Every structure is written in structure tokens, then in C-alpha cells.
mmCIF file of all heavy atoms in Angstrom:
data_model
loop_
_atom_site.group_PDB
_atom_site.id
_atom_site.type_symbol
_atom_site.label_atom_id
_atom_site.label_comp_id
_atom_site.label_asym_id
_atom_site.label_seq_id
_atom_site.Cartn_x
_atom_site.Cartn_y
_atom_site.Cartn_z
ATOM 1 N N GLU H 1 -45.524 13.846 53.209
ATOM 2 C CA GLU H 1 -45.803 12.389 52.808
ATOM 3 C C GLU H 1 -46.610 12.613 51.400
ATOM 4 O O GLU H 1 -47.317 13.545 51.240
ATOM 5 C CB GLU H 1 -46.803 11.796 53.883
ATOM 6 C CG GLU H 1 -46.032 11.536 55.131
ATOM 7 C CD GLU H 1 -46.857 10.650 55.937
ATOM 8 O OE1 GLU H 1 -48.004 10.424 55.657
ATOM 9 O OE2 GLU H 1 -46.402 10.453 57.255
ATOM 10 N N VAL H 2 -46.368 11.601 50.565
ATOM 11 C CA VAL H 2 -46.918 11.589 49.232
ATOM 12 C C VAL H 2 -48.411 10.999 49.402
ATOM 13 O O VAL H 2 -48.503 9.879 49.920
ATOM 14 C CB VAL H 2 -46.193 10.684 48.250
ATOM 15 C CG1 VAL H 2 -46.935 10.728 46.895
ATOM 16 C CG2 VAL H 2 -44.804 11.380 48.137
ATOM 17 N N SER H 3 -49.407 11.710 48.943
ATOM 18 C CA SER H 3 -50.822 11.174 49.171
ATOM 19 C C SER H 3 -51.146 10.062 48.121
ATOM 20 O O SER H 3 -50.456 9.963 47.039
ATOM 21 C CB SER H 3 -51.765 12.407 49.100
ATOM 22 O OG SER H 3 -51.744 12.814 47.741
ATOM 23 N N ASP H 4 -52.149 9.398 48.337
ATOM 24 C CA ASP H 4 -52.649 8.454 47.408
ATOM 25 C C ASP H 4 -53.007 8.987 45.982
ATOM 26 O O ASP H 4 -52.535 8.567 44.956
ATOM 27 C CB ASP H 4 -53.823 7.636 47.907
ATOM 28 C CG ASP H 4 -53.540 6.814 49.043
ATOM 29 O OD1 ASP H 4 -52.394 6.508 49.221
ATOM 30 O OD2 ASP H 4 -54.447 6.344 49.827
ATOM 31 N N ALA H 5 -53.481 10.169 46.080
ATOM 32 C CA ALA H 5 -53.945 10.843 44.910
ATOM 33 C C ALA H 5 -52.703 11.203 43.936
ATOM 34 O O ALA H 5 -52.656 11.095 42.790
ATOM 35 C CB ALA H 5 -54.762 12.123 45.031
ATOM 36 N N THR H 6 -51.660 11.677 44.740
ATOM 37 C CA THR H 6 -50.465 12.109 44.000
ATOM 38 C C THR H 6 -49.690 10.881 43.524
ATOM 39 O O THR H 6 -49.148 10.866 42.315
ATOM 40 C CB THR H 6 -49.501 12.824 45.101
ATOM 41 O OG1 THR H 6 -50.210 13.933 45.611
ATOM 42 C CG2 THR H 6 -48.169 13.239 44.307
ATOM 43 N N TYR H 7 -49.677 9.871 44.205
ATOM 44 C CA TYR H 7 -49.044 8.556 43.672
ATOM 45 C C TYR H 7 -49.810 8.067 42.483
ATOM 46 O O TYR H 7 -49.145 7.667 41.486
ATOM 47 C CB TYR H 7 -49.038 7.549 44.859
ATOM 48 C CG TYR H 7 -48.567 6.199 44.339
ATOM 49 C CD1 TYR H 7 -47.177 5.897 44.348
ATOM 50 C CD2 TYR H 7 -49.496 5.167 44.115
ATOM 51 C CE1 TYR H 7 -46.795 4.595 43.802
ATOM 52 C CE2 TYR H 7 -49.123 4.031 43.603
ATOM 53 C CZ TYR H 7 -47.721 3.732 43.470
ATOM 54 O OH TYR H 7 -47.377 2.384 43.064
ATOM 55 N N ASN H 8 -51.092 8.036 42.525
ATOM 56 C CA ASN H 8 -51.877 7.600 41.444
ATOM 57 C C ASN H 8 -51.617 8.431 40.195
ATOM 58 O O ASN H 8 -51.616 8.027 39.008
ATOM 59 C CB ASN H 8 -53.311 7.588 41.836
ATOM 60 C CG ASN H 8 -53.654 6.430 42.746
ATOM 61 O OD1 ASN H 8 -53.011 5.540 42.776
ATOM 62 N ND2 ASN H 8 -54.812 6.648 43.504
ATOM 63 N N ALA H 9 -51.543 9.847 40.408
ATOM 64 C CA ALA H 9 -51.261 10.770 39.356
ATOM 65 C C ALA H 9 -49.950 10.398 38.667
ATOM 66 O O ALA H 9 -49.715 10.441 37.445
ATOM 67 C CB ALA H 9 -51.401 12.212 39.760
ATOM 68 N N ALA H 10 -48.807 10.150 39.481
ATOM 69 C CA ALA H 10 -47.515 9.825 38.938
ATOM 70 C C ALA H 10 -47.487 8.541 38.307
ATOM 71 O O ALA H 10 -46.874 8.438 37.140
ATOM 72 C CB ALA H 10 -46.601 9.840 40.191
ATOM 73 N N LEU H 11 -48.269 7.559 38.864
ATOM 74 C CA LEU H 11 -48.253 6.143 38.071
ATOM 75 C C LEU H 11 -48.981 6.332 36.840
ATOM 76 O O LEU H 11 -48.490 5.708 35.786
ATOM 77 C CB LEU H 11 -49.097 5.288 39.058
ATOM 78 C CG LEU H 11 -49.146 3.771 38.560
ATOM 79 C CD1 LEU H 11 -47.776 3.233 38.453
ATOM 80 C CD2 LEU H 11 -49.937 3.051 39.522
ATOM 81 N N LYS H 12 -49.997 7.154 36.805
ATOM 82 C CA LYS H 12 -50.826 7.280 35.522
ATOM 83 C C LYS H 12 -49.911 8.041 34.468
ATOM 84 O O LYS H 12 -49.919 7.672 33.310
ATOM 85 C CB LYS H 12 -51.999 8.112 35.711
ATOM 86 C CG LYS H 12 -52.947 8.391 34.480
ATOM 87 C CD LYS H 12 -54.178 9.182 34.868
ATOM 88 C CE LYS H 12 -55.062 9.383 33.571
ATOM 89 N NZ LYS H 12 -56.234 10.244 33.855
ATOM 90 N N ALA H 13 -49.133 9.043 34.888
ATOM 91 C CA ALA H 13 -48.268 9.711 33.974
ATOM 92 C C ALA H 13 -47.118 8.837 33.424
ATOM 93 O O ALA H 13 -46.857 8.738 32.201
ATOM 94 C CB ALA H 13 -47.582 10.842 34.692
ATOM 95 N N THR H 14 -46.559 7.934 34.284
ATOM 96 C CA THR H 14 -45.612 6.941 33.899
ATOM 97 C C THR H 14 -46.128 6.037 32.827
ATOM 98 O O THR H 14 -45.532 5.637 31.840
ATOM 99 C CB THR H 14 -45.081 6.141 35.006
ATOM 100 O OG1 THR H 14 -44.570 7.081 36.031
ATOM 101 C CG2 THR H 14 -43.935 5.149 34.594
ATOM 102 N N ARG H 15 -47.362 5.529 33.089
ATOM 103 C CA ARG H 15 -47.906 4.644 32.121
ATOM 104 C C ARG H 15 -48.215 5.361 30.740
ATOM 105 O O ARG H 15 -48.149 4.679 29.654
ATOM 106 C CB ARG H 15 -49.271 4.087 32.631
ATOM 107 C CG ARG H 15 -49.086 3.021 33.749
ATOM 108 C CD ARG H 15 -50.440 2.682 34.406
ATOM 109 N NE ARG H 15 -50.238 1.673 35.432
ATOM 110 C CZ ARG H 15 -51.134 1.234 36.265
ATOM 111 N NH1 ARG H 15 -52.445 1.873 36.186
ATOM 112 N NH2 ARG H 15 -50.910 0.329 37.083
ATOM 113 N N GLU H 16 -48.789 6.523 30.850
ATOM 114 C CA GLU H 16 -48.984 7.356 29.692
ATOM 115 C C GLU H 16 -47.676 7.602 28.786
ATOM 116 O O GLU H 16 -47.704 7.629 27.590
ATOM 117 C CB GLU H 16 -49.589 8.676 29.983
ATOM 118 C CG GLU H 16 -50.026 9.624 28.806
ATOM 119 C CD GLU H 16 -51.047 9.007 27.841
ATOM 120 O OE1 GLU H 16 -51.639 7.968 28.318
ATOM 121 O OE2 GLU H 16 -51.287 9.501 26.833
ATOM 122 N N ILE H 17 -46.617 7.898 29.556
ATOM 123 C CA ILE H 17 -45.326 8.077 28.872
ATOM 124 C C ILE H 17 -44.886 6.848 28.120
ATOM 125 O O ILE H 17 -44.357 6.889 26.997
ATOM 126 C CB ILE H 17 -44.260 8.600 29.932
ATOM 127 C CG1 ILE H 17 -44.444 9.872 30.342
ATOM 128 C CG2 ILE H 17 -42.763 8.351 29.276
ATOM 129 C CD1 ILE H 17 -43.625 10.358 31.486
ATOM 130 N N LYS H 18 -45.017 5.630 28.809
ATOM 131 C CA LYS H 18 -44.665 4.340 28.177
ATOM 132 C C LYS H 18 -45.546 4.108 26.893
ATOM 133 O O LYS H 18 -45.001 3.682 25.796
ATOM 134 C CB LYS H 18 -44.818 3.178 29.100
ATOM 135 C CG LYS H 18 -43.823 3.221 30.183
ATOM 136 C CD LYS H 18 -43.857 2.021 31.238
ATOM 137 C CE LYS H 18 -42.857 1.986 32.193
ATOM 138 N NZ LYS H 18 -43.034 0.822 33.119
ATOM 139 N N ARG H 19 -46.765 4.476 26.980
ATOM 140 C CA ARG H 19 -47.598 4.265 25.843
ATOM 141 C C ARG H 19 -47.337 5.217 24.678
ATOM 142 O O ARG H 19 -47.244 4.724 23.491
ATOM 143 C CB ARG H 19 -49.164 4.583 26.225
ATOM 144 C CG ARG H 19 -50.204 4.303 25.129
ATOM 145 C CD ARG H 19 -51.551 4.734 25.459
ATOM 146 N NE ARG H 19 -51.597 6.288 25.555
ATOM 147 C CZ ARG H 19 -51.743 7.024 24.421
ATOM 148 N NH1 ARG H 19 -51.827 6.496 23.196
ATOM 149 N NH2 ARG H 19 -51.721 8.355 24.397
ATOM 150 N N LEU H 20 -46.878 6.341 25.006
ATOM 151 C CA LEU H 20 -46.582 7.401 23.975
ATOM 152 C C LEU H 20 -45.230 7.034 23.302
ATOM 153 O O LEU H 20 -45.008 7.248 22.199
ATOM 154 C CB LEU H 20 -46.433 8.704 24.447
ATOM 155 C CG LEU H 20 -47.848 9.480 24.943
ATOM 156 C CD1 LEU H 20 -47.571 10.689 25.750
ATOM 157 C CD2 LEU H 20 -48.699 9.682 23.729
ATOM 158 N N GLU H 21 -44.249 6.502 24.232
ATOM 159 C CA GLU H 21 -43.071 5.976 23.583
ATOM 160 C C GLU H 21 -43.192 4.863 22.586
ATOM 161 O O GLU H 21 -42.457 4.740 21.658
ATOM 162 C CB GLU H 21 -42.128 5.780 24.700
ATOM 163 C CG GLU H 21 -41.594 6.911 25.441
ATOM 164 C CD GLU H 21 -40.647 6.681 26.666
ATOM 165 O OE1 GLU H 21 -40.755 5.416 27.101
ATOM 166 O OE2 GLU H 21 -40.031 7.567 27.085
ATOM 167 N N ARG H 22 -44.120 3.848 22.968
ATOM 168 C CA ARG H 22 -44.425 2.833 22.097
ATOM 169 C C ARG H 22 -44.977 3.385 20.793
ATOM 170 O O ARG H 22 -44.573 2.827 19.628
ATOM 171 C CB ARG H 22 -45.375 1.783 22.643
ATOM 172 C CG ARG H 22 -44.750 0.981 23.817
ATOM 173 C CD ARG H 22 -45.659 -0.260 24.076
ATOM 174 N NE ARG H 22 -46.913 0.167 24.645
ATOM 175 C CZ ARG H 22 -47.208 0.360 25.793
ATOM 176 N NH1 ARG H 22 -46.364 0.254 26.825
ATOM 177 N NH2 ARG H 22 -48.442 0.762 26.213
ATOM 178 N N LYS H 23 -45.933 4.285 20.818
ATOM 179 C CA LYS H 23 -46.403 5.010 19.630
ATOM 180 C C LYS H 23 -45.431 5.564 18.839
ATOM 181 O O LYS H 23 -45.392 5.569 17.599
ATOM 182 C CB LYS H 23 -47.511 5.941 20.180
ATOM 183 C CG LYS H 23 -48.290 6.660 18.981
ATOM 184 C CD LYS H 23 -49.321 7.518 19.450
ATOM 185 C CE LYS H 23 -49.973 8.242 18.255
ATOM 186 N NZ LYS H 23 -51.234 9.169 18.766
ATOM 187 N N LYS H 24 -44.494 6.298 19.415
ATOM 188 C CA LYS H 24 -43.381 7.004 18.765
ATOM 189 C C LYS H 24 -42.474 5.977 17.946
ATOM 190 O O LYS H 24 -42.162 6.238 16.752
ATOM 191 C CB LYS H 24 -42.558 7.733 19.661
ATOM 192 C CG LYS H 24 -41.368 8.511 19.093
ATOM 193 C CD LYS H 24 -40.475 9.294 20.025
ATOM 194 C CE LYS H 24 -39.435 10.081 19.384
ATOM 195 N NZ LYS H 24 -38.638 10.826 20.408
ATOM 196 N N ARG H 25 -42.228 4.805 18.658
ATOM 197 C CA ARG H 25 -41.325 3.777 17.938
ATOM 198 C C ARG H 25 -42.028 3.179 16.790
ATOM 199 O O ARG H 25 -41.491 3.037 15.770
ATOM 200 C CB ARG H 25 -40.978 2.779 19.008
ATOM 201 C CG ARG H 25 -39.940 3.132 20.070
ATOM 202 C CD ARG H 25 -39.361 2.039 20.771
ATOM 203 N NE ARG H 25 -40.399 1.282 21.500
ATOM 204 C CZ ARG H 25 -40.638 1.532 22.749
ATOM 205 N NH1 ARG H 25 -39.980 2.507 23.410
ATOM 206 N NH2 ARG H 25 -41.579 0.941 23.441
ATOM 207 N N ARG H 26 -43.418 3.037 16.953
ATOM 208 C CA ARG H 26 -44.193 2.448 15.848
ATOM 209 C C ARG H 26 -44.199 3.502 14.558
ATOM 210 O O ARG H 26 -44.024 3.053 13.453
ATOM 211 C CB ARG H 26 -45.563 2.243 16.268
ATOM 212 C CG ARG H 26 -46.519 1.826 15.160
ATOM 213 C CD ARG H 26 -47.986 1.393 15.637
ATOM 214 N NE ARG H 26 -48.506 2.541 16.277
ATOM 215 C CZ ARG H 26 -49.227 3.581 15.573
ATOM 216 N NH1 ARG H 26 -49.088 3.659 14.259
ATOM 217 N NH2 ARG H 26 -49.693 4.660 16.238
ATOM 218 N N ILE H 27 -44.394 4.775 14.912
ATOM 219 C CA ILE H 27 -44.386 5.741 13.794
ATOM 220 C C ILE H 27 -43.076 5.904 13.151
ATOM 221 O O ILE H 27 -42.865 5.906 11.924
ATOM 222 C CB ILE H 27 -44.891 7.111 14.319
ATOM 223 C CG1 ILE H 27 -46.402 6.955 14.820
ATOM 224 C CG2 ILE H 27 -44.736 8.265 13.261
ATOM 225 C CD1 ILE H 27 -46.702 8.301 15.647
ATOM 226 N N GLU H 28 -41.956 5.798 13.896
ATOM 227 C CA GLU H 28 -40.657 5.786 13.410
ATOM 228 C C GLU H 28 -40.299 4.660 12.502
ATOM 229 O O GLU H 28 -39.753 4.821 11.429
ATOM 230 C CB GLU H 28 -39.587 5.906 14.479
ATOM 231 C CG GLU H 28 -39.565 7.299 15.201
ATOM 232 C CD GLU H 28 -38.691 7.287 16.483
ATOM 233 O OE1 GLU H 28 -38.386 6.134 17.056
ATOM 234 O OE2 GLU H 28 -38.354 8.322 16.863
ATOM 235 N N ALA H 29 -40.845 3.427 12.826
ATOM 236 C CA ALA H 29 -40.520 2.249 12.043
ATOM 237 C C ALA H 29 -41.409 2.397 10.786
ATOM 238 O O ALA H 29 -40.896 2.106 9.715
ATOM 239 C CB ALA H 29 -40.943 1.033 12.818
ATOM 240 N N GLU H 30 -42.656 2.920 10.786
ATOM 241 C CA GLU H 30 -43.440 3.142 9.568
ATOM 242 C C GLU H 30 -42.683 4.062 8.664
ATOM 243 O O GLU H 30 -42.771 3.976 7.436
ATOM 244 C CB GLU H 30 -44.762 3.662 9.889
ATOM 245 C CG GLU H 30 -45.640 2.611 10.753
ATOM 246 C CD GLU H 30 -46.933 3.107 11.168
ATOM 247 O OE1 GLU H 30 -47.195 4.350 11.088
ATOM 248 O OE2 GLU H 30 -47.872 2.336 11.634
ATOM 249 N N LEU H 31 -42.205 5.206 9.246
ATOM 250 C CA LEU H 31 -41.568 6.202 8.442
ATOM 251 C C LEU H 31 -40.294 5.644 7.702
ATOM 252 O O LEU H 31 -40.014 5.886 6.584
ATOM 253 C CB LEU H 31 -41.214 7.356 9.413
ATOM 254 C CG LEU H 31 -40.626 8.673 8.628
ATOM 255 C CD1 LEU H 31 -41.690 9.074 7.644
ATOM 256 C CD2 LEU H 31 -40.316 9.657 9.749
ATOM 257 N N GLN H 32 -39.570 4.737 8.473
ATOM 258 C CA GLN H 32 -38.342 4.172 7.963
ATOM 259 C C GLN H 32 -38.689 3.193 6.819
ATOM 260 O O GLN H 32 -38.052 3.245 5.797
ATOM 261 C CB GLN H 32 -37.592 3.368 9.094
ATOM 262 C CG GLN H 32 -36.334 2.693 8.621
ATOM 263 C CD GLN H 32 -35.551 2.000 9.620
ATOM 264 O OE1 GLN H 32 -36.066 1.744 10.671
ATOM 265 N NE2 GLN H 32 -34.351 1.662 9.472
ATOM 266 N N GLU H 33 -39.777 2.419 6.993
ATOM 267 C CA GLU H 33 -40.274 1.516 5.962
ATOM 268 C C GLU H 33 -40.698 2.259 4.710
ATOM 269 O O GLU H 33 -40.450 1.872 3.568
ATOM 270 C CB GLU H 33 -41.335 0.599 6.519
ATOM 271 C CG GLU H 33 -41.904 -0.399 5.461
ATOM 272 C CD GLU H 33 -42.757 -1.477 6.118
ATOM 273 O OE1 GLU H 33 -42.644 -1.606 7.341
ATOM 274 O OE2 GLU H 33 -43.668 -1.949 5.380
ATOM 275 N N LEU H 34 -41.475 3.388 5.001
ATOM 276 C CA LEU H 34 -41.905 4.204 3.881
ATOM 277 C C LEU H 34 -40.734 4.761 3.063
ATOM 278 O O LEU H 34 -40.843 4.753 1.783
ATOM 279 C CB LEU H 34 -42.777 5.429 4.443
ATOM 280 C CG LEU H 34 -43.199 6.538 3.408
ATOM 281 C CD1 LEU H 34 -44.157 5.969 2.461
ATOM 282 C CD2 LEU H 34 -43.780 7.646 4.186
ATOM 283 N N ASN H 35 -39.707 5.329 3.715
ATOM 284 C CA ASN H 35 -38.568 5.930 2.997
ATOM 285 C C ASN H 35 -37.819 4.809 2.218
ATOM 286 O O ASN H 35 -37.386 5.125 1.067
ATOM 287 C CB ASN H 35 -37.649 6.433 4.045
ATOM 288 C CG ASN H 35 -38.319 7.784 4.618
ATOM 289 O OD1 ASN H 35 -39.077 8.439 4.082
ATOM 290 N ND2 ASN H 35 -37.822 8.134 5.916
ATOM 291 N N TYR H 36 -37.810 3.571 2.776
ATOM 292 C CA TYR H 36 -36.963 2.598 2.026
ATOM 293 C C TYR H 36 -37.788 2.054 0.721
ATOM 294 O O TYR H 36 -37.225 2.183 -0.360
ATOM 295 C CB TYR H 36 -36.889 1.380 2.956
ATOM 296 C CG TYR H 36 -36.330 0.077 2.188
ATOM 297 C CD1 TYR H 36 -35.085 0.054 1.759
ATOM 298 C CD2 TYR H 36 -37.215 -0.964 1.868
ATOM 299 C CE1 TYR H 36 -34.595 -0.893 1.056
ATOM 300 C CE2 TYR H 36 -36.747 -1.953 1.190
ATOM 301 C CZ TYR H 36 -35.424 -2.005 0.719
ATOM 302 O OH TYR H 36 -34.969 -3.163 -0.026
ATOM 303 N N HIS H 37 -39.098 1.892 0.845
ATOM 304 C CA HIS H 37 -39.783 1.415 -0.222
ATOM 305 C C HIS H 37 -39.959 2.583 -1.258
ATOM 306 O O HIS H 37 -39.892 2.207 -2.506
ATOM 307 C CB HIS H 37 -41.195 1.014 0.131
ATOM 308 C CG HIS H 37 -41.329 -0.196 0.962
ATOM 309 N ND1 HIS H 37 -42.212 -0.533 1.934
ATOM 310 C CD2 HIS H 37 -40.469 -1.392 0.872
ATOM 311 C CE1 HIS H 37 -41.986 -1.741 2.362
ATOM 312 N NE2 HIS H 37 -40.925 -2.318 1.837
ATOM 313 N N ALA H 38 -40.160 3.808 -0.817
ATOM 314 C CA ALA H 38 -40.283 4.886 -1.808
ATOM 315 C C ALA H 38 -38.954 5.033 -2.562
ATOM 316 O O ALA H 38 -38.828 5.349 -3.695
ATOM 317 C CB ALA H 38 -40.555 6.216 -1.011
ATOM 318 N N SER H 39 -37.820 4.938 -1.906
ATOM 319 C CA SER H 39 -36.468 5.082 -2.585
ATOM 320 C C SER H 39 -36.304 3.876 -3.546
ATOM 321 O O SER H 39 -35.699 4.265 -4.591
ATOM 322 C CB SER H 39 -35.324 5.026 -1.494
ATOM 323 O OG SER H 39 -35.284 3.810 -0.900
ATOM 324 N N MET H 40 -36.746 2.628 -3.359
ATOM 325 C CA MET H 40 -36.604 1.591 -4.245
ATOM 326 C C MET H 40 -37.337 1.927 -5.501
ATOM 327 O O MET H 40 -36.942 1.684 -6.541
ATOM 328 C CB MET H 40 -37.067 0.416 -3.588
ATOM 329 C CG MET H 40 -36.157 -0.146 -2.468
ATOM 330 S SD MET H 40 -34.549 -0.719 -3.122
ATOM 331 C CE MET H 40 -35.060 -1.947 -4.329
ATOM 332 N N ILE H 41 -38.587 2.332 -5.298
ATOM 333 C CA ILE H 41 -39.520 2.623 -6.488
ATOM 334 C C ILE H 41 -38.902 3.800 -7.198
ATOM 335 O O ILE H 41 -38.922 3.754 -8.600
ATOM 336 C CB ILE H 41 -40.917 2.938 -5.925
ATOM 337 C CG1 ILE H 41 -41.532 1.685 -5.231
ATOM 338 C CG2 ILE H 41 -41.796 3.221 -7.214
ATOM 339 C CD1 ILE H 41 -42.687 1.981 -4.442
ATOM 340 N N GLU H 42 -38.491 4.735 -6.504
ATOM 341 C CA GLU H 42 -37.981 6.040 -7.320
ATOM 342 C C GLU H 42 -36.780 5.603 -8.051
ATOM 343 O O GLU H 42 -36.651 6.160 -9.301
ATOM 344 C CB GLU H 42 -37.552 7.100 -6.221
ATOM 345 C CG GLU H 42 -37.075 8.376 -6.958
ATOM 346 C CD GLU H 42 -36.802 9.501 -5.927
ATOM 347 O OE1 GLU H 42 -36.761 9.227 -4.710
ATOM 348 O OE2 GLU H 42 -36.827 10.619 -6.346
#
């Protein structure tokens, strides 16, 4: 049987993965915008 502590750890890990994936998408969008503006200026 899965203990409460184990379930909570898994739930916490899932939430952390979602947070990190949002952060990754944000950085990728910023990088794309940077490349576009830099190429226009260049």
C-alpha cells in the first residue's frame, strides 16, 4: 500500500515538474523573442 508520505511526495514532485515546465516555456519564449529582435537590428 502507498503511504500518505509517499503519496504526498509524488504529488509534490508532480507540481514541481509542472512549475519547471512553465518556467522552461517562459525562457524559450524569451529566447525566441531575443533572437528575433537581435536579427532585425543586425
Side-chain angles (χ1 to χ4, degrees):
E1 294 183 359
V2 179
S3 67
D4 290 342
T6 302
Y7 172 79
N8 289 336
L11 186 61
K12 183 178 179 181
T14 301
R15 289 173 176 169
E16 182 65 10
I17 288 171
K18 289 181 179 179
R19 185 190 70 81
L20 290 169
E21 287 177 342
R22 287 195 300 270
K23 182 178 180 181
K24 180 179 179 179
R25 288 193 295 270
R26 176 179 58 78
I27 296 172
E28 287 174 338
E30 291 173 353
L31 189 57
Q32 183 178 11
E33 184 173 334
L34 170 71
N35 289 334
Y36 170 72
H37 289 150
S39 67
M40 290 295 302
I41 299 166
E42 182 174 17

